[in-house]
């Protein structure tokens, strides 16, 4: 195996002492100084760099991931994230002045402290085994937490490299546990201050339920049955290229990629033709011979995907070749929910839609379940309204949504289809940005991370006030006996509404003159300053 040792599970008996060690060291306040956190982040950067050859080899062993994809989605992604966090950490960690505080309460100097949550557990997954483990770890270190990382046992080679990476950090504050269900169960039996999990919704429910027993907060990064919607006004060539890339990157093992594509039936033939053109361009010698195309993580997942195709009522239009020994599954485009004779090829290899095709059933195996593989079901629809209705019926809270069309159409999709994130006229571009908050909604997850959001995910925003002794006479109104004090207290604190009983804003000439139509006194002051500056310039 060269650079990578054989996968070795952590003994269950060793887990409690590991957790005890990192918790004890959190309580010593060792991780709270900003300089300590920065030093650990810098060590993490160099650990990734020193082990980059091993990471490339491990990703090849586990996923047949190309060198290119390994660098852009694993190594460089994490290193750039470290550098971004190091550059901004001092600013993020500073106390904040509390906003929207009435003048009377400003005397107690209200502020927001950024306290680390404590001792945290991070459980990674296999599709991006470095990024989805190290990314949350970066946030935990930056926030001042101690942490235990459990990489995915389904990517065993990467897991062993990650153990070496974590070993470069302070061993009193950060640990790594290897293993499967037994080790995960033992870890969840420990008390944590935060659990960060990336993976399936089924396991996510188990973790959330276990965490609820001790009221432990969780971030759950799950998946979803994500819709792509292509209207008749979309750029069909770009839609085909971008969705093809998005679905078959990492051999389709991308939780945020589209699970199915709803397309206006008028442009379906052109769309299929452009898919074929893009497929030949991306993989000129076929996907199996391409050094850029990965493999399914293991035999169990390969069989699951094969069963989904076998159980589908759809017709394979492009691809479909499989090789169980290599865990290879060719990029496969499937006509969904239609009789097999509705999409046909003409003699010149053009696609022809023989009748107006609409979807009247969304119970197909490729739609009801997240494929998490290189399978691209295509569902023709009669119009955008039908596409929106189907998307909401299949999954009301997917992880991503991908509308293609003109601005009015894509805005309509964003208004009517909820999702954790969205990329307009593209495939999960929002998920390609390390500094943009990423997370699900509803059944696709809770909480977010990346960039500053990673710091926030492991930080408690602690409200603090400091009441000076000289204020005693001002706050005497709060002490009993209360007789005669209610009116005084209400005078000090109550605010009058600026709207009537019908919910309409009352117009006040005095208020308008004081604020120049702004919604606040501060806004009005700013407008007066602009007016004075304008007059001085004209003068």
């Amino acid at each position: 195996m060269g650079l990578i040792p054989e996968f070795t599970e952590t003994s269950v008996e060793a887990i409690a002492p590991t957790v005890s060690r990192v918790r004890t060291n959190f309580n010593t306040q060792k991780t709270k100084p900003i300089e300590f956190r920065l030093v650990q982040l810098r060590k993490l950067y160099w650990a990734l760099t020193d082990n980059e050859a091993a990471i490339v080899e491990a990703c090849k062993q586990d996923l047949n991931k190309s060198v290119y994809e390994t660098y852009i989605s694993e190594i460089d992604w994490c290193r750039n994230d470290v550098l971004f966090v190091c550059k901004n950490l001092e600013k993020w960690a500073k106390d904040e002045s509390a906003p929207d505080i009435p003048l009377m309460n400003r005397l107690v100097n209200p502020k927001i402290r950024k306290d680390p949550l404590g001792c945290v557990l991070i459980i990674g997954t296999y599709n991006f085994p470095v990024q989805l483990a190290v990314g949350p770890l970066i946030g935990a270190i930056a926030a001042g937490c101690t942490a235990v990382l459990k990489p995915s046992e389904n990517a065993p080679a990467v897991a062993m490299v990650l153990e070496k990476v974590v070993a470069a950090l302070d061993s009193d504050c950060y640990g790594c546990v290897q293993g499967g269900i037994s080790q995960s169960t033992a870890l969840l039996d420990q008390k944590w201050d935060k659990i960060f999990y990336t993976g399936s919704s089924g396991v996510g429910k188990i973790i959330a339920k276990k965490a609820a027993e001790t009221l432990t907060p969780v971030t759950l990064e799950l998946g979803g049955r994500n819709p792509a919607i292509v209207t008749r006004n979309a750029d069909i060539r770009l839609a085909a290229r971008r969705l093809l890339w998005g679905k078959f990157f990492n051999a389709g093992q991308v939780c945020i990629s589209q699970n199915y594509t709803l397309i206006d039936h008028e442009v379906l033939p052109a769309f299929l033709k452009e898919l074929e053109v893009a497929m030949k361009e991306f993989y000129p010698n076929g996907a199996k011979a391409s050094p850029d195309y990965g493999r399914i993580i293991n035999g169990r997942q390969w069989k699951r995907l094969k069963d989904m195709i076998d159980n589908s009522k759809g017709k394979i239009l492009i691809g479909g070749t499989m090789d169980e020994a290599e865990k290879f599954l060719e990029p496969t485009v499937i006509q969904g929910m239609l009789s097999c004779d509705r999409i046909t090829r003409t003699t010149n290899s053009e696609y022809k839609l023989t009748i107006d095709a609409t979807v009247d059933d969304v119970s197909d195996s490729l739609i009801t379940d997240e494929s998490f593989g290189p399978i691209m079901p295509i569902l023709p629809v009669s119009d955008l309204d039908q596409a929106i209705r189907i998307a909401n019926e299949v999954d009301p809270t997917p992880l991503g949504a991908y509308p293609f069309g003109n601005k009015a159409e894509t805005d309509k999709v964003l208004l009517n289809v909820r999702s954790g994130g969205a990329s307009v006229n593209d495939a999960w571009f929002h998920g390609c940005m390390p500094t943009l908050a990423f997370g699900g909604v509803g059944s696709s997850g809770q909480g977010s991370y990346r960039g500053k959001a990673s710091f926030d995910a492991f930080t408690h925003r602690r409200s603090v006030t400091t009441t000076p002794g000289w204020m005693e006479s001002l706050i005497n109104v709060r002490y009993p006996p209360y007789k005669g004090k209610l009116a005084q207290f209400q005078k000090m604190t109550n605010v009058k509404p600026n709207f009537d009983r019908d919910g309409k804003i009352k117009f006040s000439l005095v208020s308008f003159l004081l604020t120049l139509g702004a919604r606040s006194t501060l806004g009005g002051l700013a407008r007066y300053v602009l007016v004075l500056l304008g007059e001085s310039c004209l003068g």
Side-chain angles (χ1 to χ4, degrees), residues 1-8 54 57 61 156-157 159-161 163-164:
M1 296 181 66
L3 299 170
I4 305 165
E6 184 177 354
F7 182 75
T8 304
E57 180 180 330
Q61 288 183 21
M160 294 307 294
V161 178
E163 187 172 331
K164 292 176 62 179

Side-chain angles (χ1 to χ4, degrees), residues 155-223:
V158 172
M160 294 307 294
V161 178
L162 287 178
E163 187 172 331
K164 292 176 62 179
V165 170
V166 174
L169 307 177
D170 189 312
S171 60
D172 290 332
C173 301
Y174 312 101
C176 183
V177 170
Q178 304 283 17
I181 295 176
S182 298
Q183 287 75 15
S184 296
T185 301
L187 284 166
L188 292 174
D189 284 338
Q190 302 297 311
K191 178 67 179 83
W192 302 96
D193 297 305
K194 176 74 178 273
I195 299 174
F196 191 110
Y197 168 76
T198 304
S200 71
S201 59
V203 176
K205 291 176 183 177
I206 294 171
I207 289 173
K209 183 177 180 180
K210 186 67 177 178
E213 294 178 3
T214 53
L215 298 179
T216 300
V218 295
T219 292
L220 301 176
E221 297 295 344
L222 310 176

Side-chain angles (χ1 to χ4, degrees), residues 5-235:
E6 184 177 354
F7 182 75
T8 304
E9 292 188 345
T10 303
S11 69
V12 172
E13 292 74 22
I15 290 175
T18 297
V19 178
S20 177
R21 182 183 75 249
V22 296
R23 178 171 292 282
T24 297
N25 277 276
F26 175 77
N27 291 333
T28 67
Q29 317 304 320
K30 183 177 182 178
T31 60
K32 287 189 176 180
I34 300 300
E35 186 57 30
F36 175 87
R37 308 181 203 181
L38 289 170
V39 167
Q40 298 307 307
L41 289 168
R42 294 164 190 156
K43 287 183 175 182
L44 179 59
Y45 177 93
W46 288 114
L48 291 166
T49 300
D50 294 342
N51 288 282
E52 64 181 276
I55 292 172
V56 169
E57 180 180 330
C59 287
K60 182 72 174 178
Q61 288 183 21
D62 289 336
L63 289 151
N64 196 48
K65 187 172 289 193
S66 69
V67 174
Y68 177 86
E69 289 190 8
T70 298
Y71 271 96
I72 70 167
S73 67
E74 308 279 12
I75 299 170
D76 288 346
W77 178 290
C78 293
R79 290 192 298 201
N80 289 337
D81 195 16
V82 169
L83 295 177
F84 176 75
V85 172
C86 285
K87 181 180 179 180
N88 292 280
L89 180 56
E90 289 192 50
K91 176 178 64 177
W92 296 342
K94 284 183 179 177
D95 291 352
E96 290 181 14
S97 296
D100 305 319
I101 301 299
L103 180 61
M104 177 68 180
N105 291 336
R106 292 180 190 176
L107 299 175
V108 297
N109 189 29
K111 59 185 178 181
I112 308 295
R113 283 176 56 98
K114 318 293 181 55
D115 285 353
L117 285 177
C119 180
V120 304
L121 171 64
I122 299 167
I123 303 176
T125 191
Y126 67 78
N127 57 325
F128 294 98
V130 179
Q131 180 200 139
L132 300 183
V134 174
L137 180 61
I138 292 170
I141 295 171
C145 296
T146 57
V148 172
L149 172 66
K150 198 205 85 66
S152 173
E153 72 279 12
N154 290 314
V158 172
M160 294 307 294
V161 178
L162 287 178
E163 187 172 331
K164 292 176 62 179
V165 170
V166 174
L169 307 177
D170 189 312
S171 60
D172 290 332
C173 301
Y174 312 101
C176 183
V177 170
Q178 304 283 17
I181 295 176
S182 298
Q183 287 75 15
S184 296
T185 301
L187 284 166
L188 292 174
D189 284 338
Q190 302 297 311
K191 178 67 179 83
W192 302 96
D193 297 305
K194 176 74 178 273
I195 299 174
F196 191 110
Y197 168 76
T198 304
S200 71
S201 59
V203 176
K205 291 176 183 177
I206 294 171
I207 289 173
K209 183 177 180 180
K210 186 67 177 178
E213 294 178 3
T214 53
L215 298 179
T216 300
V218 295
T219 292
L220 301 176
E221 297 295 344
L222 310 176
R225 291 161 290 172
N226 312 315
I229 298 177
V230 182
T231 75
R232 66 188 63 185
N233 294 309
D235 185 318

Side-chain angles (χ1 to χ4, degrees), residues 281-301:
E281 179 184 340
F282 294 172
Y283 310 111
N285 298 315
K288 192 171 187 180
S290 173
D292 301 325
Y293 187 74
R295 297 296 185 267
I296 305 305
I297 186 69
N298 55 39
R300 181 171 60 87
Q301 294 297 332

